[in-house]
Structures are given as structure tokens and as C-alpha cells.
Amino acid sequence: MADVRPDDFIVFSDVTKTFQTGTQSYTAIRDVTLSMKRGDITMLLGPSGCGKSTLLNMTAGLISASKGRVSYGGTEVSGLNGKVAYMTQQDHLLPWRTVAGNVSVPLEVAGLPKRQCEARVAELLALVGLKDFATSYPNQISGGMRKRCALARLLAAERETLLLDEPFGALDAQLRLTLQAELLRICRKLNLTVMFVTHDIEEAAALGDRCAVFQGRPGTIAKVFDNPLPKDRDLARLRFDPRHHAFTNELWAMLTPDLSAAPAELQASA
């Protein structure tokens, strides 16, 4: 269980969520206590089906707790939370709009003048490597490109908190690293708060200021780790940092205790 701190921004206090379908019930998470500071990137790490995405849905106000309390900025979450932007595992692109048209949706809703909107869309498409596909439609681009388009649209919303559900899972390793680095840079610059669901231990260790490790079904938090690396870390050079290796190994040991008992010579070569 994680301690609640006095400067916490998002807080889950002894939260349980049970879903009811007819006469059947399913408990996704049980007795979860977790807190996040404003401006932190918190990784929710664990295997599929342990309830990580349930916490995102509660923060967004899409579902409510069956037990316990979820608060955001000191106020209990009740109904949709308009201060967050959510990127799910599905990109939810509008098929009748071009790539540029999809990215511009939040800007149009905000009433941004057309010229400013076009300039901002061009900036975001360049950021995610899609400037040559602005006039393409979602069914004309790859799955990885669709993810990049969805990320650009998310950033266009300019919300104070990002809820990310495995957003880089469909990308190749090099592009994933590029977008991770850009996400980190943007979050630091704008002081964005991030809740990031992943089952990738390397990704959690690279991006997170804190990593909440989930276990079991229903999901519970086994431990919350603070990342020993500075906030302005260089993701491209993490492989050379012994602190990163030690932190990654801690997460591995928590999630895969059987593997952590490997012979010393194998651990030394990791």
C-alpha cells in the first residue's frame, strides 16, 4: 500500500471496483491506495487484467469506485473530469477526417482561429513524424502511424493531466524511444501530470518518476517504487547508467520473482 502525501494531486484511498453484469460480479481492483504529485509521471505496471486501466477510467470520471474515494486536485471525482486527456489502447480516429483533421479536433472545439489551428497541427504532425501524411485518411496509414496521430491529437487538447493506456505498444523500438523522449520533454516543459499504464518493465523504468507495481486478480498494489534517476534524464543514454539497471532489476524481481533467482553469472550479464 502506498502512503498518501500532503502535496498529493491525484489520490486513490482504499479503492475497490466491482463490476456487476446481471447476476455475475467481477472485482477489478481491491483496496488500492495510491497518490500522485502534480507534474509526476506515474507508471502503472503489471500484467494484463490486473486492473491498471480501471484507475485511468476512475480518474477520468468514466466509472466510480465501489468502495473508497478518488480525488483530483483536492476534490472527489464525480462525473466526467474535464481536466484530463485520455488515450486508450484504441486510437478512436475519425475515419472521415484526414490525419490533420483528426489532430485539429480539440483545437476546433476550443475555438482556435483557423490559421493558428493549421500552424499548431503542422507543429504536432512534425513532432510525431507525420508531416508527410497530413492529407491521408486513417485507413491509408499503418497502425503505428495511427498511434502517432492519436498522440498528436492528445497533445493538442492541452490538458493538465494525460491518461495513457499503453500508447506506444504498436510502435517499433526506435520510434517508441523517440516518442517516449518527446513525451518526457513535453511533460517537463508544461508540468503535465501523467498516469501511464504499461506491462513493459523497461518502459516503466525509463519514463516513470514513480512506478506502482500491480499484482493479482483482483489487482492490488504490491509496491510503489521511486525512480532514482533525475527528472531530466536522457532516455537515449539510460543503458549506460547503473542506477537505471538497478532500478529495472528491482522491478523485474517484483514482477518475476522466479526469474530473479537466476544464477549470479546470468544476473551479472543482464
Side-chain angles (χ1 to χ4, degrees):
M1 180 180 294
D3 294 330
V4 175
R5 302 168 295 179
D7 56 348
D8 290 330
F9 178 47
I10 303 173
V11 180
F12 295 83
S13 302
D14 196 25
V15 172
T16 294
K17 178 60 183 178
T18 299
F19 295 94
Q20 190 77 35
T21 304
T23 60
Q24 302 295 316
S25 65
Y26 167 72
T27 299
I29 58 171
R30 177 175 291 158
D31 301 330
V32 168
T33 294
L34 177 66
S35 63
M36 283 144 271
K37 291 172 60 177
R38 185 186 291 272
D40 268 4
I41 299 176
T42 301
M43 309 299 288
L44 308 181
L45 175 65
S48 298
C50 64
K52 304 182 299 298
S53 299
T54 300
L55 269 66
L56 298 191
N57 291 333
M58 289 181 173
T59 305
L62 299 175
I63 58 176
S64 58
S66 303
K67 171 191 170 187
R69 185 175 189 269
V70 181
S71 64
Y72 182 96
T75 302
E76 185 168 3
V77 176
S78 177
L80 293 178
N81 185 353
K83 296 182 179 180
V84 306
Y86 199 151
M87 184 172 172
T88 66
Q89 293 174 339
Q90 302 297 320
D91 55 60
H92 298 295
L93 298 181
L94 303 176
W96 60 88
R97 278 185 171 243
T98 63
V99 166
N102 270 281
V103 176
S104 70
V105 169
L107 304 174
E108 294 172 17
V109 172
L112 198 70
K114 183 177 180 181
R115 183 169 296 179
Q116 293 183 33
C117 181
E118 291 174 347
R120 179 59 176 155
V121 168
E123 177 185 352
L124 289 167
L125 291 181
L127 178 65
V128 300
L130 288 178
K131 65 179 181 179
D132 294 331
F133 297 89
T135 60
S136 299
Y137 286 87
N139 66 352
Q140 297 174 323
I141 58 178
S142 69
M145 290 178 179
R146 291 175 65 104
K147 282 287 188 180
R148 283 184 273 168
C149 181
L151 177 60
R153 183 180 60 186
L154 184 81
L155 296 174
E158 296 188 344
R159 305 291 173 82
E160 65 183 9
T161 296
L162 305 183
L163 307 178
L164 307 178
D165 196 340
E166 301 194 47
F168 304 139
L171 306 179
D172 62 71
Q174 184 175 2
L175 181 56
R176 177 184 296 191
L177 177 60
T178 298
L179 289 182
Q180 286 172 342
E182 287 298 338
L183 176 67
L184 188 62
R185 179 186 66 80
I186 292 166
C187 289
R188 298 311 188 209
K189 179 179 179 181
L190 302 178
N191 196 36
L192 298 176
T193 305
V194 179
M195 293 176 65
F196 193 124
V197 166
T198 184
H199 61 263
D200 186 319
I201 294 175
E202 293 286 346
E203 183 169 64
L207 284 177
D209 297 310
R210 304 182 87 207
C211 295
V213 177
F214 283 70
Q215 290 181 338
R217 294 182 184 178
T220 59
I221 295 179
K223 188 173 181 178
V224 178
F225 293 85
D226 290 315
N227 196 325
L229 297 172
K231 281 181 172 286
D232 60 349
R233 66 195 74 128
D234 182 352
L235 299 191
R237 297 191 61 80
L238 286 184
R239 69 186 66 185
F240 307 112
D241 193 322
R243 295 170 299 175
H244 174 66
H245 290 299
F247 183 45
T248 302
N249 288 339
E250 276 193 279
L251 297 178
W252 270 108
M254 177 61 66
L255 282 170
T256 56
D258 293 338
L259 293 179
S260 68
E265 62 270 17
L266 293 181
Q267 295 185 33
S269 64

